[in-house]
Amino acid sequence: MMHKEHPRGTGNVLADLGFDHAEELSVKTVLAVKLNELIDKWDLSQTEAAHLTGMRQPKVSRVRRYKLQNISLERLMQALVSLDQHVEIVVRRVW
């Protein structure tokens, strides 16, 4: 039986799938997951979430659906801070 060689992943599934700006999109996704968890935990409507975060409701809707291309990292971090979350940025050397 012949074994087929499989390509090795990069550790970033979005990069492996060929997404543009995969690193940034990965970080945005992590922030959006946390934001959506808080919206669900607090049982907020999109309108309520928009009011609390200072975002417009259509932008909250895009976050809820993980349509993150036109939402900045800064905006997602600000939304989390407005929901009483502490956001840290850590810089590490990649080996």
Side-chain angles (χ1 to χ4, degrees), residues 3-19:
H3 289 286
K4 190 175 186 180
E5 189 70 28
H6 294 286
R8 199 161 182 90
T10 65
N12 181 333
V13 70
L14 298 173
D16 294 342
L17 292 172
F19 279 83

Side-chain angles (χ1 to χ4, degrees), residues 1 4 6-7 15 17 19 22-24 26 28 37-38 45-46 49 65 67 69 74 84 91:
M1 180 183 281
K4 190 175 186 180
H6 294 286
L17 292 172
F19 279 83
E23 291 294 328
E24 180 181 359
S26 292
K28 286 180 180 183
E37 286 174 351
L38 290 167
S45 68
Q46 289 184 15
R65 294 179 287 120
K67 304 290 184 184
Q69 291 82 4
E74 181 180 14
D84 299 324
V91 178

Side-chain angles (χ1 to χ4, degrees), residues 29-95:
T29 301
V30 169
L31 297 175
V33 165
K34 183 61 179 173
L35 190 54
N36 282 326
E37 286 174 351
L38 290 167
I39 291 169
D40 291 339
K41 179 180 177 181
W42 296 353
D43 198 28
L44 298 173
S45 68
Q46 289 184 15
T47 302
E48 291 167 328
H51 176 73
L52 290 172
T53 62
M55 297 170 84
R56 295 178 60 223
Q57 182 276 326
K59 193 164 281 202
V60 172
S61 177
R62 287 197 301 277
V63 171
R64 296 293 282 165
R65 294 179 287 120
Y66 296 96
K67 304 290 184 184
L68 306 172
Q69 291 82 4
N70 294 315
I71 301 173
S72 70
L73 282 169
E74 181 180 14
R75 188 67 202 102
L76 291 167
M77 288 186 284
Q78 288 172 343
L80 287 165
V81 168
S82 69
L83 296 178
D84 299 324
Q85 302 302 296
H86 177 78
V87 178
E88 291 183 14
I89 299 171
V90 178
V91 178
R92 288 184 277 211
R93 182 176 179 184
V94 178
W95 295 97

